[in-house]
């Protein structure tokens, strides 16, 4: 009853925020853009037929083109639009949830209800993610339907992107909540979360840099330290690889190329080989390690934030 | 530390409640307060006396450094019992995106009020606080008085045995304040206990059965209004002309003279008659003799004066029930 009340409240709080509707607008624009693309024979039309060209590269009527198309969509929509722009907007949109919840006079009434502080914190934490679930479900659900109904390409695995998006967001949201309960400032929560996101990516990518330069790799202590450090933070950089893998897992087509293939032709041969090497290594990584270690990080941060929340005076 | 004490029949039984902020600021220094079931109890004191801290400790919003005692027979901080307590905090901030009615449902759900009961209770309370007409309006459109009325309604949504109200008439106009007073008396008639924290002493005087005066983190006085005002009666004798001529004579009786007004503290009628004799003996015409009982405000001022001359009060012993 209490959890449901907090979920409903979070939903109402979400739709009251302008940024919620900005994200809905972004989804609508993406949907419109996708709808404007049509495939007829060996030609692709854009802007509802105002412009068309003959190409096999992204034509779903060809196996090769269909695979490219799905790979491109996963890369562009899951990784760029939702993975970067969407997540950034969601961090901004949800950063104020805990500071507002913890305002003097606001939390007093809630704390006086028959619910323990740790439970209240956890319920609120999970309830705030309703925002992301809603946005993710709307975005990926709508684009999934457009791909299927308009282009004839059904990729059930693409819907796993909703789960991945919520996971990626939660890795960052725990940092936002920790900062929020400590400072009660949504601005601090936004800035430090974005900073943490960059830091996670850098720490995660550091071993790759070492692998590329043998002279660095020879410094064993440093190399070991970098590798160990890379295990700790959430693996936010794995999002596009997991999205590609999971999309393929449920796809109705034989193979979905990994996202880099879509832009590979722009790279020279050497860069392409390097990109492929990195990609192959990333994709071959254990999903359990990627998600498990990230969730472990999140659990530790959430427990820390919960401890602060439970011991504060309001 | 919150300890478990013996179960009592007090609705509120607070023993040795202490709170220190930032390791140096002693907000509460061993408060003992007892409130009987079905009473309206008023907590008063100057700003910074620790009233709101005490209320917040009762409602588990602030964690005490030390506190024993019970609320409704359960140890302080007992979560389950909070379902039977209604609370209106001072300077509350409700979610602005909710309507009045939704707010009541939201807090009722958090208080574990069954869904089947919420609608009727909300409708009834919105009527009782005069907010039925605006129940569907968003809270950010409400005036301060409307928010206060809604706040009182939310404190009653769980049909509480104990209602803790921190400045319930804050922001209300005179009519609103009268409505709240009537509501408080109605709650009392229903057998509920009301714990009231208000700086409006005249209001406390009108509705409270018992009060406690908190000064500098300690209870300076506690009791019924009669008990508190018993020792603070004075007689005021008004003369037709200046009574300065008998100043020294009446001073021996403990009276003071200010122009044509003679004030005699206490309720010793023999001394009053002696003072009258002195006045009449001096040929002064007496216009009136009036016993004057101190108001809560007078008592509070007196307590504060005592504090400034003799230092902070000492902790009061816990009364026997």
């Amino acid at each position: 009853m209490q959890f449901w009340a907090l979920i409903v409240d979070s939903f109402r709080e979400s739709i009251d925020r302008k940024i919620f509707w900005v994200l809905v607008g972004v989804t609508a624009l993406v949907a419109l853009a996708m709808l404007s693309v049509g495939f007829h024979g060996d030609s692709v039309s854009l802007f509802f037929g105002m412009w068309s060209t003959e190409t096999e590269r992204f034509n779903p009527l060809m196996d090769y083109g269909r695979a490219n198309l799905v790979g491109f969509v996963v890369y562009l929509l899951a990784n760029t639009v939702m993975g970067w722009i969407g997540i950034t907007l969601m961090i901004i949109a949800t950063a104020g949830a805990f500071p507002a919840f913890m305002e003097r006079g606001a939390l007093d009434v809630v704390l006086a209800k028959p619910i323990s502080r740790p439970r209240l914190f956890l319920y609120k934490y999970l309830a705030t993610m309703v925002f992301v679930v809603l946005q993710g479900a709307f975005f990926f659900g709508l684009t999934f339907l457009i791909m299927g109904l308009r282009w004839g390409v059904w990729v059930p695995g693409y819907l796993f992107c909703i789960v991945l998006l919520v996971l990626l967001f939660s890795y960052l949201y725990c940092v936002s909540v920790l900062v929020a309960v400590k400072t009660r400032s949504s601005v601090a929560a936004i800035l430090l979360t974005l900073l943490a996101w960059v830091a996670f990516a850098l720490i995660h990518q550091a071993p790759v840099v070492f692998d590329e330069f043998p002279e660095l790799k020879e410094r064993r202590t440093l190399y070991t330290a970098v590798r160990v450090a890379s295990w700790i933070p959430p693996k936010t950089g794995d999002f596009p690889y997991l999205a590609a893998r999971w999309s393929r897992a449920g796809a109705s087509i034989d193979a979905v190329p990994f996202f880099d293939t879509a832009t590979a032709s722009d790279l020279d041969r050497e860069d392409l080989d390097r990109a492929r090497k990195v990609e192959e290594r990333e994709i071959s990584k254990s999903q359990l390690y990627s998600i498990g270690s990230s969730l472990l990080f999140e659990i530790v941060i959430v427990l820390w934030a919960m401890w602060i929340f439970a011991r504060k005076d309001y | 530390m919150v300890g478990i004490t013996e179960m009592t029949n007090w609705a509120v039984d607070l023993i040795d409640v202490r709170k220190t902020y930032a390791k140096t600021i002693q907000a509460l220094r061993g408060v003992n307060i007892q409130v009987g079931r079905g009473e309206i109890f008023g907590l008063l004191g100057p700003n910074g006396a620790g009233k709101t801290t005490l209320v917040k400790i009762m409602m588990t919003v602030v964690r005490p450094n030390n506190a024993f005692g019970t609320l409704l027979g359960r140890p302080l901080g007992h979560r389950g019992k909070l379902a039977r307590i209604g609370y209106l905090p001072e300077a509350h901030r409700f979610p602005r995106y909710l309507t009045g009615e939704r707010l009541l449902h939201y807090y009722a759900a958090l208080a574990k009020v069954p869904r089947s009961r919420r609608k009727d209770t909300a409708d009834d309370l919105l009527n009782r606080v005069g907010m039925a007409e605006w129940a569907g309006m968003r809270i950010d459109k409400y005036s301060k008085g409307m928010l206060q009325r809604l706040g009182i309604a939310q404190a009653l949504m769980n049909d509480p045995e104990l209602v803790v109200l921190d400045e319930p008439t804050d922001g209300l106009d005179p009519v609103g304040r009268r409505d709240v007073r009537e509501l408080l008396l109605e709650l009392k008639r229903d057998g509920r206990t009301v714990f009231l924290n208000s700086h409006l002493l005249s209001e406390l005087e009108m509705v409270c059965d018992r009060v406690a005066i908190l000064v500098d983190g300690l209870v300076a006085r506690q009791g019924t209004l009669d008990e508190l005002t018993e020792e603070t009666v004075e007689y005021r004798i008004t003369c037709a002309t200046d009574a300065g001529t008998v100043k020294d004579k009446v001073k021996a009786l403990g009276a003071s003279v200010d122009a044509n007004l003679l004030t005699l503290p206490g309720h010793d009628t023999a001394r009053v008659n002696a003072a009258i004799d002195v006045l009449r003996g001096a040929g002064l015409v007496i216009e009136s003799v009036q016993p004057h009982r101190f108001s809560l405000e007078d008592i509070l001022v007196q307590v504060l004066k005592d504090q400034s001359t003799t230092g902070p009060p000492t902790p009061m012993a816990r009364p026997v029930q």
Side-chain angles (χ1 to χ4, degrees):
Chain A
M1 184 193 294
Q2 292 169 322
F3 185 41
W4 182 246
L6 284 164
I7 284 182
V8 172
D9 180 62
S10 289
F11 171 71
R12 287 178 175 144
E13 187 181 12
S14 296
I15 59 173
D16 189 57
R17 290 175 194 273
K18 284 196 181 102
I19 207 156
F20 180 91
W21 298 105
V22 169
L23 270 165
V24 169
V26 168
T27 300
L29 278 176
V30 168
L32 196 67
M34 288 176 75
L35 282 171
S36 77
V37 179
F39 299 97
H40 317 280
D42 54 359
S43 70
V44 178
S45 71
L46 296 174
F47 306 118
F48 297 102
M50 287 169 68
W51 182 84
S52 65
T53 183
E54 283 185 13
T55 177
E56 291 180 354
R57 190 169 173 199
F58 292 112
N59 195 324
L61 301 174
M62 317 280 178
D63 282 351
Y64 158 75
R66 187 167 54 180
N68 268 344
L69 180 68
V70 175
F72 179 72
V73 165
V74 171
Y75 171 65
L76 184 72
L77 299 190
N79 183 37
T80 308
V81 177
M82 273 322 242
W84 285 101
I85 301 168
I87 289 283
T88 305
L89 290 174
M90 286 172 195
I91 287 169
I92 294 168
T94 54
F98 264 86
F101 187 61
M102 291 170 67
E103 272 185 352
R104 279 203 171 77
L107 192 57
D108 295 36
V109 185
V110 181
L111 286 179
K113 302 298 178 199
I115 180 170
S116 71
R117 288 191 183 194
R119 184 175 288 194
L120 176 66
F121 172 88
L122 206 59
Y123 283 1
K124 179 67 185 172
Y125 181 82
L126 294 173
T128 308
M129 281 206 262
V130 166
F131 181 92
V132 183
V133 174
L134 285 176
Q135 291 287 355
F138 182 51
F139 183 89
F140 289 112
L142 193 62
T143 49
F144 167 78
L145 286 175
I146 291 171
M147 274 200 287
L149 296 172
R150 172 92 168 123
W151 301 345
V153 178
W154 292 100
V155 192
Y158 176 71
L159 292 174
F160 282 122
C161 289
I162 300 169
V163 179
L164 286 173
L165 183 82
V166 174
L167 280 174
L168 173 62
F169 173 79
S170 73
Y171 303 156
L172 299 167
Y173 184 56
C174 65
V175 178
S176 172
V177 169
L178 176 64
V179 177
V181 295
K182 190 78 188 154
T183 65
R184 300 192 197 191
S185 160
S186 48
V187 175
I190 292 168
L191 293 177
L192 289 174
T193 305
L194 293 177
L195 201 66
W197 195 3
V198 174
F200 294 160
L202 290 177
I203 294 168
H204 187 54
Q205 286 303 310
V208 178
V209 176
F210 274 70
D211 289 344
E212 290 299 311
F213 299 97
E215 61 275 21
L216 277 176
K217 213 171 170 180
E218 281 167 13
R219 301 169 73 173
R220 299 304 302 173
T221 314
L222 184 64
Y223 181 63
T224 306
V226 165
R227 283 206 74 82
V228 170
S230 73
W231 298 339
I232 298 169
K235 313 301 176 285
T236 51
D238 287 352
F239 176 69
Y241 303 109
L242 290 170
R245 280 174 84 163
W246 290 21
S247 295
R248 186 172 62 168
S252 60
I253 50 178
D254 298 326
V256 175
F258 299 115
F259 74 97
D260 276 343
T261 314
T263 51
S265 60
D266 298 326
L267 303 171
D268 62 36
R269 181 55 51 195
E270 197 181 327
D271 284 344
L272 180 63
D273 286 345
R274 187 180 294 130
R276 277 190 176 144
K277 220 169 95 184
V278 170
E279 186 186 305
E280 278 165 14
R281 195 191 55 219
E282 292 297 325
I283 286 169
S284 66
K285 269 205 266 186
S286 160
Q287 295 179 70
L288 187 67
Y289 161 74
S290 174
I291 296 173
S293 63
S294 302
L295 283 177
L296 191 64
F297 175 90
E298 184 181 348
I299 289 168
V300 170
I301 298 294
V302 166
L303 288 175
W304 184 7
M306 184 193 288
W307 189 79
I308 295 170
F309 179 84
R311 294 188 61 83
K312 255 186 192 307
D313 286 333
Y314 298 94
Chain B
M1 182 189 75
V2 178
I4 297 175
T5 64
E6 77 276 21
M7 300 300 128
T8 67
N9 279 326
W10 296 109
V12 177
D13 185 11
L14 304 177
I15 304 164
D16 197 22
V17 180
R18 294 170 188 272
K19 177 66 186 177
T20 304
Y21 289 109
K23 293 183 180 172
T24 53
I25 305 160
Q26 283 192 304
L28 297 173
R29 301 186 296 123
V31 169
N32 296 307
I33 283 180
Q34 284 69 40
V35 182
R37 288 180 189 259
E39 278 185 353
I40 300 183
F41 184 89
L43 183 64
L44 60 133
N47 288 340
K51 302 189 299 293
T52 293
T53 297
L54 183 67
V55 168
K56 285 189 171 191
I57 285 173
M58 286 169 63
M59 300 314 301
T60 72
V61 178
V62 165
R63 295 154 50 86
N65 296 103
N66 184 77
F68 297 97
T70 58
L71 289 183
L72 299 175
R74 288 287 183 168
L76 268 179
H78 186 273
R79 286 281 151 199
K81 216 56 185 172
L82 288 174
R84 305 297 301 138
I85 301 174
Y87 174 48
L88 171 72
E90 184 189 19
H92 49 73
R93 293 173 76 99
F94 296 136
R96 307 305 245 185
Y97 45 85
L98 296 178
T99 63
E101 188 177 18
R102 281 181 175 168
L103 180 119
L104 295 188
H105 283 260
Y106 170 52
Y107 286 131
L110 290 180
K112 294 186 171 177
V113 177
R115 186 186 292 269
S116 57
R117 253 184 39 210
R118 282 182 226 155
K119 176 88 175 77
D120 289 344
T121 311
D123 289 347
D124 174 47
L125 286 170
L126 286 165
N127 270 315
R128 279 168 78 177
V129 298
M131 287 295 295
E133 200 179 328
W134 298 282
M137 188 193 278
R138 270 174 65 113
I139 286 171
D140 53 8
K141 304 270 194 307
Y142 282 10
S143 68
K144 197 175 176 192
M146 291 162 86
L147 282 171
Q148 198 67 0
R149 285 165 185 266
L150 188 69
I152 292 168
Q154 73 76 28
L156 302 175
M157 272 300 286
N158 56 338
D159 190 22
E161 289 174 49
L162 169 65
V163 188
V164 180
L165 305 173
D166 200 347
E167 302 290 358
T169 53
D170 193 23
L172 292 181
D173 57 21
V175 177
R177 287 208 289 271
R178 190 198 59 201
D179 290 347
V180 169
R181 280 200 302 273
E182 283 171 5
L183 183 66
L184 294 178
L185 294 170
E186 203 177 306
L187 293 174
K188 185 188 161 158
R189 281 196 293 276
D190 291 346
R192 300 176 212 272
T193 309
V194 180
F195 190 101
L196 203 56
N197 179 20
S198 173
H199 69 276
L200 295 175
L201 304 180
S202 55
E203 284 183 5
L204 290 177
E205 217 158 8
M206 277 188 259
V207 294
C208 290
D209 300 304
R210 293 173 67 245
V211 296
I213 301 174
L214 202 60
V215 178
D216 200 19
L218 280 171
V219 175
R221 304 269 175 89
Q222 183 173 189
T224 62
L225 286 174
D226 282 343
E227 284 166 358
L228 289 182
T229 56
E230 194 179 41
E231 296 166 8
T232 52
V233 173
E234 64 182 18
Y235 280 86
R236 292 178 179 178
I237 304 170
T238 311
C239 301
T241 53
D242 189 277
T245 51
V246 295
K247 197 171 182 178
D248 292 337
K249 284 184 182 172
V250 293
K251 197 176 176 184
L253 296 168
S256 59
V257 176
D258 182 14
N260 61 337
L261 178 69
L262 184 140
T263 308
L264 197 65
H267 44 78
D268 184 352
T269 49
R271 281 195 304 136
V272 176
N273 279 299
I276 291 169
D277 290 344
V278 170
L279 292 170
R280 291 177 63 85
L284 292 165
V285 176
I286 295 170
E287 284 188 339
S288 67
V289 179
Q290 286 180 319
H292 174 72
R293 186 163 279 223
F294 278 16
S295 66
L296 272 180
E297 189 177 336
D298 296 327
I299 296 168
L300 180 62
V301 170
Q302 188 183 326
V303 168
L304 292 176
K305 272 185 189 166
D306 292 349
Q307 186 211 9
S308 64
T309 53
T310 63
T314 48
M316 288 186 70
R318 182 166 172 252
V320 178
Q321 193 173 21

